[in-house]
Amino acid sequence: MTVFKWLQGRQKFGSAILLIRNPADAIVAEWNRRKANSTHTSYVGRELFGNNSEWNTFVEHVAVAWRYYFTWVLKSTDDHRTLVVRYEDVKTDPAREVKRMLTFLGVPFTDDELQRRLAEGFDQFHRHHSDHEQFEHYTDHQKEYLKSVIRQINSTLQNYGYEQAFRIDEYYSDL
């Protein structure tokens, strides 16, 4: 959040990379990070989700901040020169997405160098889903709220000439 506050003082950017993640997953990840009281790869129990009032407030505030942040970045780049990168695409095909980002930034690289760096991996920064119990994090009301925020972000992206980041029917069948 500190970086965002610092950036808000600027009027425009020449360009930006906008890394956008499925908000339902991003909100759960941030909640785990804040509440786990250990490493950022830990989980909290199901009792801190669902109808928990603190969780409900967190979902609403973070979803609004998420929407505001992405809209602000799109508005703040010169000639809308923003590369929109989906976090899920980085996980699925890191080589393709890192190439896109390096090319956008004008950073020279070789395929060998890229493959060597990617082989070093990022696994130490991830929560391992097999390590915890699977359960529903969101109430029906929270799911509907997140869907409306996603629709707003998709609309904003389209207004700026970008593809929708999320198809609710494809990515959010469980929302």
Side-chain angles (χ1 to χ4, degrees):
M1 204 53 139
T2 303
V3 172
F4 181 59
K5 289 179 182 176
W6 174 77
L7 291 174
Q8 283 183 307
R10 298 191 53 157
Q11 295 298 315
K12 286 279 187 182
F13 303 96
S15 60
I17 295 177
L18 180 59
L19 181 63
I20 191 167
R21 183 179 183 187
N22 164 335
D25 289 345
I27 291 169
V28 169
E30 180 61 13
W31 183 252
N32 278 315
R33 188 189 69 77
R34 290 185 184 196
K35 294 295 183 179
N37 293 327
S38 65
T39 68
H40 78 272
T41 58
S42 297
Y43 293 96
V44 295
R46 71 171 57 223
E47 67 279 358
L48 293 179
F49 292 96
N51 281 318
N52 176 304
S53 63
E54 185 180 5
W55 166 242
N56 189 54
T57 300
F58 183 79
V59 169
E60 291 183 9
H61 286 288
V62 172
V64 168
W66 182 80
R67 183 187 70 218
Y68 173 80
Y69 171 75
F70 291 118
T71 303
W72 176 78
V73 169
L74 291 170
K75 288 179 181 177
S76 298
T77 54
D78 293 332
D79 300 321
H80 309 298
R81 194 164 137 61
T82 303
L83 177 65
V84 177
V85 178
R86 289 174 9 92
Y87 174 83
E88 291 77 14
D89 293 340
V90 173
K91 285 179 64 178
T92 302
D93 192 346
R96 181 190 67 217
E97 294 305 311
V98 171
K99 280 182 183 181
R100 285 182 62 222
M101 290 184 272
L102 291 172
T103 300
F104 179 81
L105 294 170
V107 175
F109 65 92
T110 66
D111 284 339
D112 288 342
E113 179 184 25
L114 178 61
Q115 291 306 318
R116 190 174 61 253
R117 301 259 182 192
L118 289 173
E120 293 170 5
F122 305 101
D123 213 34
Q124 69 271 25
F125 302 111
H126 293 229
R127 289 180 188 88
H128 296 280
H129 294 292
S130 61
D131 295 347
H132 86 292
E133 167 188 23
Q134 297 292 319
F135 58 90
E136 181 56 62
H137 298 94
Y138 295 101
T139 65
D140 289 342
H141 172 75
Q142 291 166 341
K143 291 176 186 179
E144 290 306 313
Y145 184 73
L146 285 174
K147 285 179 186 179
S148 74
V149 170
I150 291 163
R151 285 185 193 100
Q152 291 169 16
I153 285 292
N154 279 338
S155 176
T156 300
L157 286 165
Q158 286 183 307
N159 289 342
Y160 282 91
Y162 297 97
E163 292 181 23
Q164 291 186 6
F166 304 104
R167 286 186 43 211
I168 292 173
D169 61 335
E170 182 180 342
Y171 300 107
Y172 297 98
S173 59
D174 58 333
L175 274 188

